[in-house]
Amino acid sequence: MRFWRSGLLALTVATGMAAGASLAAADGPSKGAEWPNIPWRTWQGVYGGIHAGSVDAWWDDGLAAGIQIGRNWQAGNIVYGIEGDVSLSGADSLDWMATARGRLGYLLTPSLLLYGTAGVGLVDTEWDGTETDFVYGLGVESKLTRTTTVRLEYLGYSDTDVDVVRVGLNFKLN
């Protein structure tokens, strides 16, 4: 039940971020005009960060926290890249999780990215050991400064019935 409350909270925060971006964009450039040359406009580069959130594994749920590292490329409003992460789990039935994923997103504004992600995931369970799984998800990420972003992300593991909702903080490394 805690997972669904966390999911509802995550959805509320994401909706608020998107609505705020729409309001901010309303005073942005007119139709056909370009956004001003903002120094933190580019999303391209290597980043690393931390994350924490809620994990729902089978009949069990708990907290999860870890680290991620990735690389983004940008072509206009399209941002794509790769990311890997490792998380420790507070759920009794799940010790840790890790993923290697691709990301593909669209810039709603120069500082707000909506993205999808998919790749391979590993989960270490107390009864089966380490299992490999397909992992997929959605997220929204916003720039706080030229080198710092904050994100809200959902990840689902297809066969092992693991769902994760987490927030993260990233720092651009180059």
Side-chain angles (χ1 to χ4, degrees), residues 14-104:
T15 303
M17 288 176 72
S22 297
L23 290 174
D27 289 333
S30 61
K31 188 174 184 177
E34 292 292 322
W35 284 93
N37 188 10
I38 301 169
W40 43 261
R41 184 174 181 182
T42 183
W43 285 74
Q44 191 157 304
V46 177
Y47 62 89
I50 57 174
H51 60 261
S54 174
V55 60
D56 182 19
W58 305 279
W59 61 88
D60 193 13
D61 59 3
L63 297 177
I67 59 172
Q68 68 267 354
I69 189 163
R71 170 76 161 96
N72 284 330
W73 292 271
Q74 184 173 349
N77 286 342
I78 304 297
V79 176
Y80 55 97
I82 56 173
E83 180 173 295
D85 63 70
V86 176
S87 303
L88 296 177
S89 170
D92 292 334
S93 57
L94 186 63
D95 293 328
W96 58 267
M97 305 164 289
T99 71
R101 298 173 281 118
R103 291 192 339 151
L104 178 62

Side-chain angles (χ1 to χ4, degrees), residues 1-10 54 56 61 154 163 165:
M1 190 62 157
R2 275 189 280 166
F3 175 76
W4 295 112
R5 283 182 286 179
S6 298
L8 182 58
L9 175 62
S54 174
D56 182 19
D61 59 3
Y154 164 79
D163 295 296
V165 175

Side-chain angles (χ1 to χ4, degrees), residues 130-145:
T130 303
E131 295 184 43
T132 304
D133 203 353
F134 174 72
V135 65
Y136 58 91
L138 293 170
V140 61
E141 190 168 358
S142 179
K143 284 197 174 267
L144 297 176
T145 69

